[in-house]
Amino acid sequence: MSWEVVIGLEVHAQVNTNTKAFCGCSTTFGATPNTQTCPVCLGMPGQLPVLNREVARKVALTGMAIEGNINALSKFDRKNYFYPDLPKGYQITQLFLPIVQKGLVHIQDKHGNEKSVRIHQIHIEEDAGKSMHENSEFVSHIDLNRSGIPLMEIVSEPDMYSADEAVAYLKSLHQLLKFLNTSNADMEKGQFRCDANVSVRRKGEPLGTRAEIKNINSFRFVKQAIEYETQRQIELIEDGGTVVQETRLWDSVKNESRSMRGKEEAHDYRYFPEPDLPPLKLSDEELAEIRASMPELPHQMHTRFVSDYGLSHYDAEVLSTSRDLAAYYEALVQAHPKDPKQAANWLANELLARLKEINTEIADSPVSASDLASLLARISDNTISGKIAKDVLDDMLKSGDAVDAIIERKGLKQITDSSAIDDMIQGVMDANPAQLEQYRGGKDRLFGFFVGQVMKVTKGKANPKMVNQRLKEMLKG
Ligand code: ADP
Ligand code: MG
Ligand code: ZN
C-alpha cells in the first residue's frame, strides 16, 4: 500500500495597520530597535491594552472573503510562556472564541483540478519581540518594536496531500490577503510565515501522528521542508519506528529538519481568558460596512479579464496575480484599447521578462502603462514592426526615452514604401542568382532565405507583410 502525506498549515500574517494591536505605537518596518515601544507593548505592570479596531475589521474582511463565519462576539485569551522577547510573559490571542470560524481557500491540485482547503479558524494574535544574536558574540539583544504587532493566525484543516498542494494553498492565501489589503504579506519582512503540520499514513487509514515544522518563511522552503519530513517519517515507520508528536525546525542551509522540542517538553501555555480586554463585538452595521468594502477578488478578476478582454485563462491568470499587475494591465488597455490580447502579450511576455532581469516589480517599472501603450500604437500604425518594437522596449528601459524619440534617434521607421521594397527585393535576387534558380526549380524552402536576405539589407525595417507578399510575386519571375 502506498503512502500518503497529510498536511495542515498554520499561517501567521501581519495585519497591515499603521499602529499596533493594543497600543498606538507605529508598525513601520525597519526602525531603530526599541524606538517604537510604549509601556503597553513593553509589558509594564498596570498598563491596559486597548484593541485597535482596524485589526478586527481587517481580520473580519479576510474571514468574509473565505466565506467563513464571523463571530459578532469574540474573546481574547492569554497564552503564557517565558521567553526573553516576551516581557509581559504572555501573548494576547484568541483561543476559545476566535473572530472567524470555518471558511474555504480555493486552489488547484496537481492535476489542475479545483479543490478547496477548509479553514478551521482565523484568530487575532499579537506578535512577540525579536532576539538578536548578530551584534555580539557574548550577549543577545532584544528588539521590542515587533512586540504587539497585530497578526492573524489562519489555521487550515489537514486537507492537503502533497508539498505542491501546500505551496498552492499558501500562494492562493498570500494573493488573497494582498488583494484584500489586509496584510502586505512580505515574506522577507516576516509578515507571512507558516508552521507546517505533517503526518503520513497508508492510503485509507486514519490520520498519523504529526510533526510540526515551525516558522518557515518562503514557498521554496515549505516545499523542501514538507518533502524532507515526509521522507523522514516514511523511513522511520518502515524501519519499525514510530513518529512522535514534536516541534521541528527547518534548517534551510543544511536542507534538513531537526527536533526542537518533543511532546514532553511541549509548552503548557496555561491559557485563560484575558481579563484586561472586553469581548470584541461587531455590530450588524459595522459588519455590513466591512462587507461592503470587499474589493474584487482574484478569481472574480480572472473571470472578468476572460469575458471583457477575451484573454485566455492562462493570460487572465497571470495578469490577475497581483493588484499592481492587474492595475497596470487595465491602464494599458485603457490607453490602447485596440487589441487587449496583444497588450496582454506585451505585458506578460515582454515587459515582465525584462523587469525580472533587472529585479524590478511592476509597480516600479521604469516603463509606465502609457509608455507601453505608445509603443503598441507604433506597431499598430505600422511605424515599426513587432520585432523592432522589442529593441525599442529594451532601449526605453535603459534610456528612459520616449518611444518616438528612440525611433527617431535610431532611424527605425519601418519601410512601407512599396517601390523601395521592390528595389531591395530586386537587389537581393540579383545578388543570389544560384538560389533564385534553385527556388524557381522547385526548392520552396529557399523562400525563407530570401526573406532573411531582404530583412538583412533593410536592417529589419521593411514591413514584413509587404516583403512576404512582394517576394512571392517577384520570385515567381
Ligand atoms: P494544536 O492545538 O496542537 O495546535 P490543532 O488541532 O490546532 O493542534 O492543529 C494544528 C494544525 O495541525 C492544524 O492546521 C491542523 O490542520 C493540523 N493537523 C492536525 N492533525 C494533523 C495530522 N494528523 N496531520 C497533519 N496535520 C494535522
Ligand atoms: Mg495550533
Ligand atoms: Zn506600544
Side-chain angles (χ1 to χ4, degrees), residues 411-422:
L412 296 174
K413 240 190 180 134
Q414 185 160 246
I415 303 163
T416 48
D417 172 347
S418 57
S419 70
I421 288 177
D422 282 4

Side-chain angles (χ1 to χ4, degrees), residues 14-16 174 177-178 181-187 191:
Q14 179 173 334
V15 185
N16 60 354
H174 186 258
L177 299 183
K178 293 188 66 142
N181 191 27
T182 56
S183 173
N184 298 339
D186 186 333
M187 295 172 100
Q191 294 169 348

Side-chain angles (χ1 to χ4, degrees), residues 20 22-26 36-42 144 147-148:
K20 292 186 180 179
F22 302 109
C23 62
C25 291
S26 166
Q36 292 168 347
T37 56
C38 72
V40 173
C41 56
L42 289 174
L144 292 172
S147 168

Side-chain angles (χ1 to χ4, degrees), residues 220-221 224-225 228 248-259:
R220 190 160 56 93
F221 295 160
Q224 289 172 349
Y228 176 91
R248 298 178 70 86
L249 268 189
W250 178 245
D251 183 332
S252 56
V253 178
K254 290 193 185 141
N255 269 341
E256 60 182 37
S257 68
R258 56 171 183 272
S259 185

Side-chain angles (χ1 to χ4, degrees), residues 233-382:
Q233 292 185 11
I234 292 173
E235 281 167 23
L236 189 66
I237 299 170
E238 287 185 341
D239 288 346
T242 46
V243 175
V244 292
Q245 192 174 330
E246 62 177 353
T247 304
R248 298 178 70 86
L249 268 189
W250 178 245
D251 183 332
S252 56
V253 178
K254 290 193 185 141
N255 269 341
E256 60 182 37
S257 68
R258 56 171 183 272
S259 185
M260 194 169 115
R261 52 175 186 255
K263 201 178 187 176
E264 313 78 57
E265 310 142 72
H267 285 300
D268 173 8
Y269 291 121
R270 297 178 298 115
Y271 282 99
F272 62 82
E274 165 62 62
D276 289 343
L277 282 166
L280 162 55
K281 287 187 194 144
L282 292 163
S283 65
D284 288 349
E285 297 81 72
E286 196 168 10
L287 285 169
E289 210 177 275
I290 296 166
R291 204 174 281 282
S293 75
M294 182 75 63
E296 185 177 33
L297 297 180
H299 65 277
Q300 295 163 334
M301 184 178 273
H302 178 136
T303 313
R304 183 168 62 84
F305 279 8
V306 171
S307 62
D308 285 11
Y309 302 129
L311 298 187
S312 67
H313 279 284
Y314 178 79
D315 284 342
E317 172 90 43
V318 170
L319 296 175
S320 60
T321 351
S322 78
R323 281 224 284 203
D324 286 342
L325 184 55
Y328 189 107
Y329 176 64
E330 298 212 84
L332 177 61
V333 173
Q334 201 160 32
H336 184 75
K338 204 171 165 187
D339 191 345
K341 274 195 210 178
Q342 179 204 32
N345 281 335
W346 274 84
L347 173 53
N349 302 331
E350 303 303 332
L351 182 63
L352 283 189
R354 286 165 175 78
L355 291 178
K356 203 171 166 189
E357 276 171 26
I358 53 172
N359 232 322
T360 304
E361 297 292 328
I362 189 71
D364 306 320
S365 171
V367 171
S368 71
S370 75
D371 296 338
L372 187 54
S374 349
L375 182 66
L376 299 188
R378 290 296 161 266
I379 304 173
S380 306
D381 68 11
N382 279 324

Side-chain angles (χ1 to χ4, degrees), residues 6-10 155-158 197-199 207-210 245:
V6 179
I7 303 148
L9 298 175
E10 296 165 280
V155 182
S156 86
E157 297 292 349
N197 295 273
V198 179
S199 65
L207 289 179
T209 305
R210 71 191 150 105
Q245 192 174 330

